[in-house]
């Protein structure tokens, strides 16, 4: 995969209309991230979300007010481009090994 862009997912802590805390900001931002990811994939892009970022460095570098915004995660985005003829995608666990369910 060849990543060309680095971005951050950020939520706004308060509503614009009344300044009250938005207790659902992170949930709404997560839903927006999911939609963004699906649309990017549909357009041929690959995304890699990153939770282990240095949030304080992001606040500083992008001049973000931590009283008004939460930096939730980072992401890299790019087009898939094999780096060699032998490159393969890693195997994934079968979903049945991760989830259990009962048939009704």
């Amino acid at each position: 995969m060849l990543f060309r862009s680095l971005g951050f997912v950020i939520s706004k802590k308060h509503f614009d209309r009344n300044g009250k805390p938005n207790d659902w900001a992170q949930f709404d931002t997560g839903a927006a991230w999911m939609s963004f990811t699906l649309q990017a994939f549909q357009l041929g892009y690959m995304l890699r979300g990153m939770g282990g970022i240095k949030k304080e460095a992001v606040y500083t570098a992008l001049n973000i007010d931590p009283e008004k915004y939460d930096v939730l995660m980072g992401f890299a985005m790019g087009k898939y481009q094999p780096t060699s003829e032998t490159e393969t995608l890693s195997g994934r666990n079968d979903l049945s090994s991760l989830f259990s369910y009962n048939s009704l």
Side-chain angles (χ1 to χ4, degrees), residues 61-100:
L62 299 178
N63 196 28
I64 297 170
D65 184 350
E67 296 296 317
K68 295 181 179 180
Y69 300 94
D70 280 322
V71 174
L72 302 177
M73 62 175 280
F75 66 91
M77 184 171 103
K79 292 276 189 172
Y80 179 74
Q81 184 176 26
T83 56
S84 72
E85 291 180 17
T86 59
E87 182 178 322
T88 59
L89 296 175
S90 63
R92 299 284 187 226
N93 291 336
D94 185 78
L95 288 179
S96 64
S97 70
L98 302 173
F99 300 99
S100 64

Side-chain angles (χ1 to χ4, degrees), residues 4-83:
R4 297 261 185 211
S5 299
L6 184 63
F8 299 94
V9 176
I10 300 166
S11 66
K12 191 170 187 177
K13 294 181 178 185
H14 298 88
F15 291 107
D16 283 336
R17 68 180 180 274
N18 59 18
K20 291 184 179 180
N22 181 353
D23 294 333
W24 305 275
Q26 291 184 359
F27 177 82
D28 293 343
T29 304
W33 161 250
M34 183 271 311
S35 296
F36 178 73
T37 301
L38 292 174
Q39 183 64 45
F41 182 74
Q42 188 71 17
L43 294 172
Y45 291 93
M46 305 286 287
L47 277 78
R48 172 144 318 152
M50 299 175 285
I53 61 172
K54 296 179 180 179
K55 292 181 180 184
E56 292 305 319
V58 175
Y59 284 113
T60 302
L62 299 178
N63 196 28
I64 297 170
D65 184 350
E67 296 296 317
K68 295 181 179 180
Y69 300 94
D70 280 322
V71 174
L72 302 177
M73 62 175 280
F75 66 91
M77 184 171 103
K79 292 276 189 172
Y80 179 74
Q81 184 176 26
T83 56

